[in-house]
Amino acid sequence: MNEILNDTKTVKRRSVWGWILISLLIAVIVLAVIGEIAVHRAMPILKGRVIETLSSRFDSRVEIDGFSVSVLKGLEVSGEGLRIYAQDEVVAAGATDPLIALGHFSFHANLLGLFVKPMHVRTVHVAGMVIHIPPREMRQQAPKGQRHMGKIKILVDEIVFDDSRLIIGTIKPDKEPKEFEMSRIVMRNVGPDAPWRYDATLVNAIPKGDIHATGTFGPWNNESPGDSSVTGKYTFDHVDLNTIRGIGGMLSSVGEFSGQLNKIIVDGTTETPNFSLDTANHGVPLHTKFHAIVDGTSGDTYLQPVDARLGGSDFTCNGAVVNVKGKGHIIDLDVNIPAGQIQDFLQLAVKTSPAVMTGGLQMKTKLHIRPGPQSVSKKIGLKGGFTLRQIHFTNPELEDKVDMLSLRAQGDPKAAKPGAEDVHSQMVGQFVMADGKLSFSKLDYTLPGADVSLAGEYTLDGERFEFDGKVRTKAKVSQMVASKWKSILLKPVDPFFKKDGAGAVIPVKVSGTRSAPKFGLDLGHKGKKDKGEQGGK
């Protein structure tokens, strides 16, 4: 009897578990069917919402190549090949590239979002975005004041962009599209009519360095994206100036900016503790504080002004950096050095060390750097005038010759010996720097007892300098020799050199190198010139 009862209980247990398993299986099947139905229904709903939201926001045609939805963990949405085009009139004008193209996007939302409008999405992840802003001339074809009649059906808190590009087009024949590569951007508060907060990181190509910027962007201007507002603060770190041919050093910069994409006002500072040119490869500390206007649609930059300090010399620059299609940039600056030190600039530009001279420098010059792949030192040009005061030549032999010239010119030849007391001299000149050399059309050198007028050139590698001209002295020729007998013998010569109220006017020549300078009379040159003058009478 007990065995029968036990068998009956066992059968009942198996029956209960069987029904439970069957019920679970049915439930799984039902859920799978419901899920399948939900996916099929959710996919067109969500795709339609994405398209309508973007169409309304950008007043443009929107296309999506791939779109998928999963409901295993709420609503998991992803898509590929999303394209937002410019308005039809702008496309007809030639702007055929999508205004915005996304390689891949994805976001997560609550299932209840299917029944709530607008749907709320916390974060959208985007990879491979390209923003292509058409040239202004094409954008002007867009009808003014017309907006798409759709509704915003999805609200997003944050968008994370990886590996994005911004391309600003141009139809100007001498300009190239301006392209910016951004490794990562996070945008927050992405509303339709308010600025978006962003946090962006990108690697600048030339000069190579890391840029980090935070600020606001927008609202997006559909009719003229270049007029969209932008503000922010930036840091530009680990900037390797060696990626620009002819320039060296590691730069860092901080600053802030505001305005529109086509007119961004930037204020910042730069620090380069070892700025150098390849003509010398001597690192000199350079600090700048600048105010600039940047046209983000063309890449042109207008410096107004730059306050700089090179070594111990302060100077200012004003001018422009203009993009040239297929070539690079033209740099044109007006440079003013009110009270600098000549040794700072010679150390930067000239290979010889120490600098050939020291002294106070006052200079105004126009700087021009032409575009092209050559080294900056091969492209740079300067033209202007300068004044040097308190000149001292670092080569003892050259300084001795200058000191002895001054003493002889004053009529004190007996004191004109090596080691004589240094004299204070001054130089005024007009110059042109190009092709690795300084050419002086006018070089007036004044020292006690003498005025020297020269013309010539100095190579930036320090290998050669050559000047010729005239020395006007206070003393007569016969008064410039220490020997009494020589003085007597030279007295008959005095009238030939006495001229224009000076004791003597003597042709001179300065040539050689820094290590082997030559400083002396150029009587042969005088004879040739006088002969030529006589022949012309």
Side-chain angles (χ1 to χ4, degrees):
M1 187 67 178
N2 288 332
E3 292 179 0
I4 295 173
L5 291 173
N6 288 335
D7 291 340
T8 302
K9 289 179 180 179
T10 300
V11 171
K12 288 182 177 180
R13 288 194 190 98
R14 291 177 177 173
S15 178
V16 170
W17 282 108
W19 279 108
I20 291 173
L21 291 173
I22 292 172
S23 298
L24 289 173
L25 181 60
I26 293 172
V28 169
I29 293 172
V30 170
L31 287 174
V33 173
I34 293 173
E36 186 71 17
I37 294 172
V39 168
H40 282 291
R41 295 199 173 202
M43 189 179 298
I45 292 173
L46 291 173
K47 184 175 180 180
R49 288 184 182 181
V50 169
I51 291 176
E52 185 169 355
T53 297
L54 294 174
S55 296
S56 300
R57 179 65 191 87
F58 294 97
D59 194 21
S60 304
R61 173 168 56 97
V62 177
E63 296 177 353
I64 300 178
D65 290 339
F67 194 88
S68 61
V69 177
S70 172
V71 294
L72 295 178
K73 297 179 181 178
L75 290 173
E76 297 280 354
V77 180
S78 63
E80 293 82 25
L82 188 151
R83 297 178 298 279
I84 304 171
Y85 290 90
Q87 293 167 300
D88 292 342
E89 292 81 1
V90 180
V91 174
T96 56
D97 292 315
L99 186 65
I100 300 175
L102 308 183
H104 180 271
F105 68 91
S106 63
F107 63 85
H108 177 273
N110 194 292
L111 280 169
L112 293 177
L114 285 171
F115 309 101
V116 178
K117 295 180 183 180
M119 173 188 288
H120 182 261
V121 175
R122 289 185 179 275
T123 303
V124 176
H125 293 273
V126 175
M129 177 181 70
V130 178
I131 299 176
H132 201 298
I133 298 178
R136 179 183 294 273
E137 294 80 359
M138 295 180 183
R139 300 196 304 265
Q140 291 174 344
Q141 304 301 317
K144 306 298 181 182
Q146 296 186 17
R147 293 298 303 269
H148 191 83
M149 298 306 294
K151 296 180 179 180
I152 303 296
K153 294 187 176 181
I154 300 177
L155 295 179
V156 179
D157 290 340
E158 176 183 83
I159 306 178
V160 179
F161 302 92
D162 289 309
D163 300 324
S164 302
R165 287 189 299 154
L166 170 63
I167 302 172
I168 302 175
T170 179
I171 62 172
K172 296 179 180 179
D174 59 340
K175 298 288 185 182
E176 285 185 311
K178 193 64 181 175
E179 185 170 334
F180 303 89
E181 293 193 9
M182 297 159 282
S183 58
R184 186 174 179 85
I185 305 174
V186 178
M187 284 192 166
R188 299 182 176 91
N189 299 337
V190 189
D193 300 310
W196 304 346
R197 289 191 296 116
Y198 68 85
D199 187 317
T201 302
L202 58 148
V203 176
N204 193 64
I206 299 178
K208 187 176 181 180
D210 303 320
I211 300 176
H212 178 241
T214 60
T216 63
F217 176 77
W220 178 272
N221 188 323
N222 287 332
E223 296 174 355
S224 183
D227 293 333
S228 300
S229 298
V230 60
T231 68
K233 296 181 179 180
Y234 77 89
T235 60
F236 193 14
D237 291 324
H238 309 106
V239 185
D240 186 359
L241 296 180
N242 292 281
T243 53
I244 302 175
R245 290 189 62 186
I247 294 180
M250 295 299 294
L251 175 145
S252 62
S253 178
V254 297
E256 55 187 35
F257 53 91
S258 62
Q260 301 171 333
L261 280 179
N262 53 18
K263 188 179 181 180
I264 305 173
I265 298 174
V266 186
D267 290 280
T269 61
T270 70
E271 297 287 350
T272 312
N274 56 344
F275 182 72
S276 67
L277 299 176
D278 64 358
T279 54
N281 290 321
H282 297 153
V284 182
L286 174 65
H287 165 83
T288 71
K289 179 182 178 182
F290 62 88
H291 175 81
I293 298 175
V294 180
D295 185 346
T297 63
S298 66
D300 296 344
T301 300
Y302 302 91
L303 302 169
Q304 304 174 345
V306 176
D307 295 317
R309 185 175 183 84
L310 179 73
S313 301
D314 295 322
F315 63 97
T316 60
C317 301
N318 291 274
V321 181
V322 178
N323 181 39
V324 179
K325 184 176 182 180
K327 296 181 179 180
H329 295 84
I330 292 177
I331 301 176
D332 283 302
L333 299 176
D334 291 322
V335 182
N336 181 27
I337 307 170
Q341 299 175 1
I342 184 60
Q343 59 267 32
D344 292 326
F345 297 91
L346 290 176
Q347 184 179 356
L348 176 67
V350 181
K351 188 166 293 186
T352 53
S353 182
V356 67
M357 68 175 69
T358 64
L361 170 65
Q362 181 180 353
M363 182 171 69
K364 289 186 177 181
T365 182
K366 292 187 177 295
L367 180 149
H368 173 80
I369 301 178
R370 65 179 185 267
Q374 301 90 353
S375 166
V376 169
S377 61
K378 297 293 190 295
K379 299 185 294 183
I380 191 171
L382 294 171
K383 184 178 182 180
F386 68 93
T387 298
L388 291 176
R389 294 184 174 88
Q390 302 294 317
I391 297 172
H392 173 76
F393 292 96
T394 57
N395 180 282
E397 183 180 350
L398 181 57
E399 180 62 34
D400 277 345
K401 290 184 181 296
V402 170
D403 299 336
M404 289 188 289
L405 170 63
S406 176
L407 290 168
R408 291 181 185 278
Q410 294 177 74
D412 190 7
K414 291 184 178 180
K417 298 177 181 179
E421 184 178 354
D422 290 350
V423 299
H424 298 298
S425 55
Q426 175 176 301
M427 188 180 294
V428 178
Q430 299 290 325
F431 70 96
V432 173
M433 189 182 94
D435 301 322
K437 64 183 179 182
L438 277 166
S439 299
F440 296 88
S441 58
K442 175 184 178 184
L443 194 61
D444 294 333
Y445 180 46
T446 303
L447 64 163
D451 295 319
V452 184
S453 297
L454 299 172
E457 64 182 32
Y458 180 95
T459 59
L460 297 182
D461 59 8
E463 290 300 319
R464 183 177 62 86
F465 59 88
E466 187 168 349
F467 296 89
D468 56 62
K470 293 182 178 181
V471 179
R472 292 172 53 89
T473 63
K474 180 180 178 181
K476 299 177 182 178
V477 172
S478 62
Q479 296 172 330
M480 287 188 269
V481 293
S483 170
K484 184 177 180 180
W485 291 105
K486 288 183 179 179
S487 177
I488 294 173
L489 291 173
L490 287 173
K491 282 185 180 293
V493 179
D494 285 342
F496 293 97
F497 289 94
K498 187 176 177 62
K499 188 177 181 181
D500 299 332
V505 177
I506 306 170
V508 294
K509 186 179 181 95
V510 183
S511 61
T513 66
R514 177 188 174 276
S515 59
K518 297 177 182 178
F519 188 97
L521 301 179
D522 190 18
L523 296 177
H525 178 77
K526 180 181 184 298
K528 292 176 183 177
K529 186 170 183 180
D530 290 346
K531 187 176 181 180
E533 289 175 352
Q534 292 172 1
K537 289 181 180 179

